[in-house]
Amino acid sequence: MPLTIAMDGPVGAGKSTIADVVARRLGILHLDTGAMYRAVGLSALRRGVRMDDEAALTALCEALRVTVACTPEGQHTFVDGEDVTGLIRTEEVSMATSTVSKVPGVRAAMVRLQRQLAAETPMLLDGRDIGTRVLPDAPVKIYLTADARERARRRYEQLREKGAEADFEQVLADLRRRDEQDMNRAVDPLRPAEDAVIVDTTGLTFEESVEKILSVVKERTEHE
Ligand code: DC
């Protein structure tokens, strides 16, 4: 199996941006698996599929062709050939995706796809269940977290930078709701794998977080 790094953690822990930089420094690809679930969430919203209709969501997911292109500028995500990269980052899609990703049929389809991709190329995958479900044999597993207020503050600042209207208390409440859904769902809830190294980025700078992860990777791969 090519080198795979599993990175899991809750929303706002900085996974995507940290994962991008870590993967680039290691010269491997970064697969943002959340974007794949978001592609399904967006499609469900567009087609008006009810969020509690598991059979319809599973059928939708099996009919869709979700593909990704990992480029030096970041990942592009496609649904049936349409580039949806810019469309999947809204709060509406975030909330829908957290619901859609509870459906076992949706998860099964995504896990299958992610395993195929990881078998082809060395990569770092970031998500919620990479270390526990998608790649339980990955040699390096990292669980990236930070306290909820800190994660909400980062998310709030991101939204403000993009010029979006944002209310901190609302961002914090949404984040707690998504944590609650992601951690308490029946199938593959978010939790650290037993052999994951937990990296808490509360109080760490971006660079310190990257360095910490690189040192975990080095340590784990040296002992292989
Ligand atoms: O990482 P993100 O915020 O882009 O993820 C969007 C949603 O997708 C999130 O609510 C949890 C879900 N997800 C998942 O269930 N499993 C993954 N491997 C990745 C994301």
Side-chain angles (χ1 to χ4, degrees):
M1 187 164 87
L3 171 66
T4 45
I5 300 176
M7 187 184 285
D8 294 300
V11 57
K15 263 181 313 165
S16 269
T17 33
I18 291 177
D20 247 356
V21 173
V22 169
R24 205 171 314 133
R25 293 213 194 150
L26 293 168
I28 61 176
L29 295 181
H30 165 212
L31 179 68
D32 171 2
T33 63
M36 300 168 73
Y37 285 93
R38 284 172 180 272
V40 179
L42 172 72
S43 304
L45 284 172
R46 277 178 164 181
R47 297 184 192 198
V49 179
R50 280 193 30 198
M51 293 295 157
D52 58 355
D53 188 342
E54 296 204 355
L57 289 169
T58 302
L60 169 71
C61 190
E62 280 168 4
L64 290 177
R65 205 165 51 87
V66 176
T67 50
V68 296
C70 300
T71 76
E73 290 78 42
Q75 174 172 317
H76 282 256
T77 307
F78 303 84
V79 175
D80 294 330
E82 178 194 353
D83 189 341
V84 295
T85 309
L87 301 174
I88 55 176
R89 297 289 157 196
T90 64
E91 289 301 292
E92 190 192 12
V93 172
S94 299
M95 218 54 226
T97 305
S98 185
T99 309
V100 162
S101 62
K102 287 196 281 191
V103 178
V106 170
R107 302 206 67 78
M110 292 295 114
V111 169
R112 209 178 318 125
L113 212 53
Q114 290 156 19
R115 284 183 181 154
Q116 278 168 9
L117 292 168
E120 288 165 8
T121 329
M123 60 171 67
L124 184 161
L125 294 88
D126 94 70
R128 302 292 192 286
D129 61 341
I130 309 302
T132 52
R133 165 69 60 197
V134 180
L135 300 166
D137 296 328
V140 186
K141 295 182 187 175
I142 290 161
Y143 188 85
L144 198 68
T145 189
D147 91 28
R149 289 194 81 82
E150 168 82 12
R151 291 187 282 121
R153 190 188 56 73
R154 292 178 191 165
R155 180 82 192 117
Y156 172 77
E157 279 169 11
Q158 255 178 12
L159 289 169
R160 295 292 297 255
E161 270 167 31
K162 281 196 240 155
E165 283 284 314
D167 170 63
F168 177 78
E169 290 305 324
Q170 188 59 48
V171 171
L172 178 62
D174 284 351
L175 181 135
R176 290 209 155 114
R177 250 172 78 208
R178 285 177 62 200
D179 274 1
E180 160 75 23
Q181 289 214 66
D182 294 346
M183 291 174 183
N184 295 306
R185 67 176 173 229
V187 185
D188 296 334
L190 170 66
R191 61 181 169 77
E194 270 172 27
D195 51 349
V197 176
I198 298 183
V199 176
D200 187 331
T201 66
T202 315
L204 292 189
T205 64
F206 182 79
E207 189 53 33
E208 284 166 346
S209 308
V210 169
E211 288 301 328
K212 170 82 190 144
I213 291 163
L214 287 172
S215 74
V216 171
V217 173
K218 187 154 179 272
E219 202 176 290
R220 288 281 168 115
T221 48
E222 269 173 5
H223 292 114
E224 274 299 291

